[in-house]
Amino acid sequence: MEPTSRNFTANARDALANAQLQTSLAKIEPGFVANRAAAVARLPEFEALRDQARDIKNHTLDNLDFYLEAFEAKVLESGGHVHWASTPADARQAILEICQSVGAKTVTKGKSMIAEEIGLNEFLEENDVEPVETDLGEYIIQLRKEPPSHIIAPAIHLVKEQVEAAFREAHDGMFDPDRSLEEPRALLEEARAVLRQRFLDADVGITGANFLIAETGSTVIVSNEGNGDLTQTLPKIHIVIASLEKVVPTLDDASAILRVLARSATGQEYSSYTTFSNGPRRPGDPDGPEQFHVVLLDNGRADLLGGPVRDILRCIRCGACMNHCPVYGAVGGHSYGWVYPGPIGAVLTPTLLGLAEGRHLPNASTFCGRCESVCPVRIPLLTLMRHYRERAFDEKLSPAAERTGLGLWAYFARHPALYRFATGIAMRVLAAFGRRRGRFASLPFAGGWTAHRDLPAPQGATFQRQWSARGGRRS
Ligand code: SF4
């Protein structure tokens, strides 16, 4: 079955039955979630910083053309090049032409969700350029030929034994076949030994960017492995691929957002490496690339600026929303069927691929609001998901039975007396039929529930009758 967003329900069903995946996902709550909570508790001004980060991003979006042009001018001033790409195809082609201009055979890559968004690896391979992922998680999933399942922890769906199996197969002939790879440290050292040579062999290094700074023309990446630094300093050419909304006005603005980024993502105060790049190597510099290129991808983002989902452009890709989402925690990232999983994916996928492709994802939420409550730039994720739910209903994209059911429910909800009457009858009928066993093993229109567990038969009066019997007040 094709793992697209259209198959979310089936993907999720498979994920729930996958015991190994459930073991991997169980680590999120005591890891990312607990670490974020501890980091936030140590910083009294954290909530004020969230407001500041939101305001910086809103101000930048209000003046996006100005700041992008200022950024471009600074990059050109430092001797770099800027390539504007309207579509993923434009971005891919620009990168390929840069690679071909120096006859590149191998490119090293730092972690980049935009590279995933435009399908860069597959395109480079089709054109005889070998991409080598250098972030450990990305390297592992590249060996396994699968997409990331999390935006900051791409291999979070795997257990150690799966990584060991991937290494033994991919590194066959390179190391002693009897070596022990049981300890995570041994896996790390083997990956490091392989990647060290790939760094040295690469003709081109490609990284993403967490920020583009208009004031200085700098690009900024944060990582915990230092692989981004080697990717951008060792090869002759450094290419940065970033989407338009990554720009911020000043160094101070980037510093303010950095204070909420790592805390929200991993619970660190700062990531181990925060690297600023400015143009190519200057005379006297000890290292650095001879050429510096920035590929700026739009892919429909400029059209969002005046529309109802504009707030999604504030996203700084910290991953906190998915770490705290009970749906993501149950089904993992691959169920979402495209590069962006979790609540951010539930908004970005229909935005970037269209509602026909992504309409299931805004429904893949309990609307508990945990994602919104932790988003460092205060994106109203529930409002945005609700927007797409309404649009799917209006555009008749959901199944007819679902629309009919929602239409009926809406009619009754607008007529409270009728609603009370109908629910009273329904509860009495269900109570009568369910009295003997106290539960239903199957029920018309409730197969999604009863396929996995029994539905308890109603007991006593409806909630509304009990409520009015208590005078409509808390007892
Ligand atoms: S929507 Fe918010 S919480 Fe989710 S990745 Fe983006 S910035 Fe982080």
Side-chain angles (χ1 to χ4, degrees):
M1 180 175 47
E2 199 188 353
T4 74
S5 305
R6 288 172 193 263
N7 294 336
F8 176 82
T9 311
N11 297 342
R13 199 172 290 128
D14 290 348
L16 287 167
N18 183 337
Q20 173 271 307
L21 175 65
Q22 295 302 317
T23 304
S24 299
L25 293 173
K27 295 179 202 136
I28 293 176
E29 194 75 29
F32 287 142
V33 171
N35 292 343
R36 177 196 173 274
V40 169
R42 288 193 297 268
L43 189 69
E45 68 267 37
F46 187 77
E47 292 306 314
L49 280 171
R50 288 176 72 193
D51 290 339
Q52 189 183 357
R54 175 201 56 205
D55 295 345
I56 291 168
K57 295 295 278 186
N58 276 344
H59 167 79
T60 315
L61 293 174
D62 286 343
N63 302 279
L64 192 61
D65 51 350
F66 173 81
Y67 287 118
L68 284 170
E69 285 176 14
F71 171 75
E72 180 186 35
K74 284 291 176 186
V75 172
L76 298 179
E77 203 177 284
S78 68
H81 306 268
V82 175
H83 309 259
W84 298 86
S86 295
T87 65
D90 294 341
R92 291 191 297 260
Q93 192 58 33
I95 292 170
L96 179 64
E97 284 172 13
I98 299 166
C99 293
Q100 289 174 335
S101 71
V102 290
K105 289 285 163 224
T106 305
V107 303
T108 43
K109 284 183 67 229
K111 190 171 154 2
S112 161
M113 292 310 293
I114 296 297
E116 301 284 345
E117 181 180 319
I118 65 172
L120 184 60
N121 282 6
E122 299 76 7
F123 181 74
L124 290 176
E125 282 166 5
E126 284 162 15
N127 287 280
D128 301 323
V129 179
E130 184 194 12
V132 180
E133 295 289 352
T134 63
D135 171 272
L136 181 58
E138 289 282 346
Y139 178 66
I140 293 165
I141 61 169
Q142 186 182 29
L143 295 183
R144 289 173 52 90
K145 299 186 175 36
E146 57 188 5
S149 66
H150 190 288
I151 63 175
I152 64 161
I156 200 167
H157 56 288
L158 299 174
V159 293
K160 184 168 57 75
E161 290 70 23
Q162 291 169 297
V163 180
E164 178 179 346
F167 278 20
R168 287 197 185 281
E169 186 183 338
H171 303 160
D172 188 28
M174 298 168 71
F175 298 95
D176 178 356
D178 297 327
R179 67 197 183 284
S180 168
L181 288 176
E182 267 183 32
E183 291 301 316
R185 182 96 214 156
L187 292 166
L188 177 68
E189 279 169 6
E190 181 158 313
R192 184 178 282 155
V194 174
L195 287 173
R196 183 68 55 170
Q197 191 57 45
R198 307 312 303 265
F199 282 123
L200 294 170
D201 294 343
D203 308 294
V204 173
I206 301 175
T207 66
N210 292 88
F211 304 102
L212 309 170
I213 302 178
E215 177 185 41
T216 58
S218 315
T219 64
V220 185
I221 53 170
V222 299
S223 79
N224 279 318
E225 298 174 19
N227 62 305
D229 298 49
L230 293 173
T231 301
Q232 63 191 46
T233 50
L234 291 181
K236 283 201 244 10
I237 297 182
H238 176 203
I239 303 174
V240 179
I241 168 88
S243 48
L244 303 182
E245 79 281 13
K246 290 291 169 70
V247 73
V248 293
T250 65
L251 281 168
D252 281 350
D253 292 327
S255 303
I257 301 176
L258 279 167
R259 295 189 71 195
V260 291
L261 174 58
R263 286 180 170 92
S264 302
T266 54
Q268 295 164 285
E269 289 179 7
Y270 280 94
S271 302
S272 304
Y273 298 84
T274 301
T275 308
F276 292 70
S277 300
N278 268 82
R281 180 199 301 209
R282 291 158 301 191
D285 281 354
D287 56 24
E290 291 166 16
Q291 293 181 34
F292 177 75
H293 297 262
V294 182
V295 178
L296 284 175
L297 176 71
D298 178 359
N299 197 18
R301 288 165 169 84
D303 292 339
L304 303 180
L305 285 171
V309 297
R310 166 196 147 113
D311 288 337
I312 203 64
L313 295 176
R314 290 207 297 270
C315 177
I316 55 173
R317 306 287 191 272
C318 69
C321 55
M322 60 198 71
N323 293 340
H324 291 76
C325 175
V327 176
Y328 178 94
V331 303
H334 287 163
S335 297
Y336 292 78
W338 197 48
V339 285
Y340 300 107
I344 178 64
V347 180
L348 264 185
T349 303
T351 302
L352 296 176
L353 297 187
L355 198 48
E357 171 66 29
R359 76 167 180 83
H360 285 294
L361 303 190
N363 290 297
S365 169
T366 61
F367 269 35
C368 65
R370 239 183 142 196
C371 52
E372 261 188 36
S373 73
V374 295
C375 176
V377 283
R378 300 197 189 280
I379 295 175
L381 289 155
L382 301 190
T383 305
L384 302 184
M385 283 188 257
R386 194 176 293 115
H387 164 79
Y388 279 123
R389 288 184 181 191
E390 287 170 7
R391 264 190 54 193
F393 183 83
D394 291 343
E395 293 175 22
K396 300 189 172 31
L397 292 172
S398 44
E402 187 180 314
R403 290 200 311 278
T404 306
L406 281 172
L408 273 173
W409 184 86
Y411 178 82
F412 280 93
R414 283 197 299 269
H415 299 83
L418 193 57
Y419 185 93
R420 279 195 294 277
F421 176 74
T423 50
I425 300 263
M427 289 305 114
R428 272 197 284 277
V429 170
L430 285 173
F433 277 103
R435 189 175 301 133
R436 195 168 59 82
R437 298 179 65 196
R439 58 193 166 78
F440 296 96
S442 68
L443 204 61
F445 307 116
W449 177 285
T450 55
H452 300 283
R453 48 211 169 315
D454 291 349
L455 183 76
Q459 296 181 5
T462 64
F463 169 80
Q464 297 211 357
R465 289 188 68 187
Q466 293 187 48
W467 181 253
S468 57
R470 294 175 187 207
R473 289 187 296 274
R474 284 176 193 277
S475 61

